[in-house]
Amino acid sequence: MHQSVEKILITQEEIVARAKELGKEISELYQGKKPPILVALLKGSVPFLSELIKYIELDIEFDFMDVSSYEGTKSLGDIKINKDLECSVKDETILLVEDIVDTGCTLKEVTRILRNKGAKDVKVVSLLDKPDRRIVDIRADFIGFTIPDEFVIGFGLDYNQKYRNLPYIGVLKREIYE
Ligand code: IMP
């Protein structure tokens, strides 16, 4: 275990097993329909996307978007697009891939942006859900794991851009960020 990790919350084996289940559920939902374009939010969702797509038995495409909240502003949901999609989402079915839904602000704004671009249907799959921190009323359609209100790292999740490569989800030691 990494020295900055307090405890492992979800092991690599558990993540892989859950990704298989989610892949099956997603395949079933879109069976016989137009396959979705997976829109993954950089950078945190990359390891989860890589795992999940192996188990989706549909002719999907995927693309990336990078968004961040404006620094120095307290207005909620005010996000900046650092990298936009390369594909058109007009009249498309979209499955947004997230690492974690925390306050829900990112999810709410990105789904709004995708609908404004003409997406027909926007569903969400998130590896993690931290419902205790939610401030906007939004929920992912597919959730890997619901976790308590702790700061987690690994499997894409970072602290100051580090620890994304850990193969598990761990709780970051408080002394690292306090
Ligand atoms: P939201 O807009 O508050 O839902 O924030 C979502 C984003 O905050 C995620 O995509 C993560 O990048 C980041 N985030 C929230 N909680 C954590 C955490 O426990 N560890 C690492 N990043 C987090």
Side-chain angles (χ1 to χ4, degrees), residues 82-98:
N82 302 318
K83 186 218 168 284
D84 210 342
L85 293 169
E86 286 172 15
C87 69
S88 164
V89 297
K90 193 165 177 352
D91 299 325
E92 297 289 351
T93 300
I94 303 297
L95 180 62
L96 193 58
V97 184
E98 253 287 42

Side-chain angles (χ1 to χ4, degrees), residues 25-26 29-30 33 36-41 52 92-98 107 110-111 114-115 119-126 138-143:
E25 286 175 36
I26 290 165
L29 181 78
Y30 293 100
K33 301 184 186 135
I37 298 178
L38 272 61
V39 171
L41 295 185
L52 180 68
E92 297 289 351
T93 300
I94 303 297
L95 180 62
L96 193 58
V97 184
E98 253 287 42
L107 203 58
V110 175
T111 48
L114 293 170
R115 288 203 181 95
K120 204 168 56 185
D121 180 64
V122 183
K123 290 199 165 44
V124 180
V125 55
S126 182
I138 196 158
R139 197 174 183 276
D141 300 271
F142 301 95
I143 293 164

Side-chain angles (χ1 to χ4, degrees), residues 98-106 130 150-152 157-158:
E98 253 287 42
D99 52 358
I100 185 167
V101 186
D102 189 29
T103 63
C105 291
T106 308
K130 228 197 256 182
E150 305 215 63
F151 195 86
V152 290
L157 289 127
D158 74 305

Side-chain angles (χ1 to χ4, degrees), residues 16-74:
V16 172
R18 188 71 186 117
K20 282 185 189 170
E21 289 174 356
L22 289 171
K24 191 165 175 276
E25 286 175 36
I26 290 165
S27 307
E28 283 167 6
L29 181 78
Y30 293 100
Q31 198 61 55
K33 301 184 186 135
K34 190 176 181 183
I37 298 178
L38 272 61
V39 171
L41 295 185
L42 293 171
K43 303 168 187 164
S45 68
V46 171
F48 177 48
L49 174 79
S50 314
E51 197 55 47
L52 180 68
I53 53 172
K54 296 182 207 168
Y55 313 110
I56 299 181
E57 294 176 349
L58 303 164
D59 291 332
I60 53 136
E61 291 175 34
F62 58 81
D63 200 352
F64 299 96
M65 230 177 139
D66 183 19
V67 301
S68 58
S69 25
Y70 281 104
E71 275 168 39
T73 163
K74 286 207 175 111

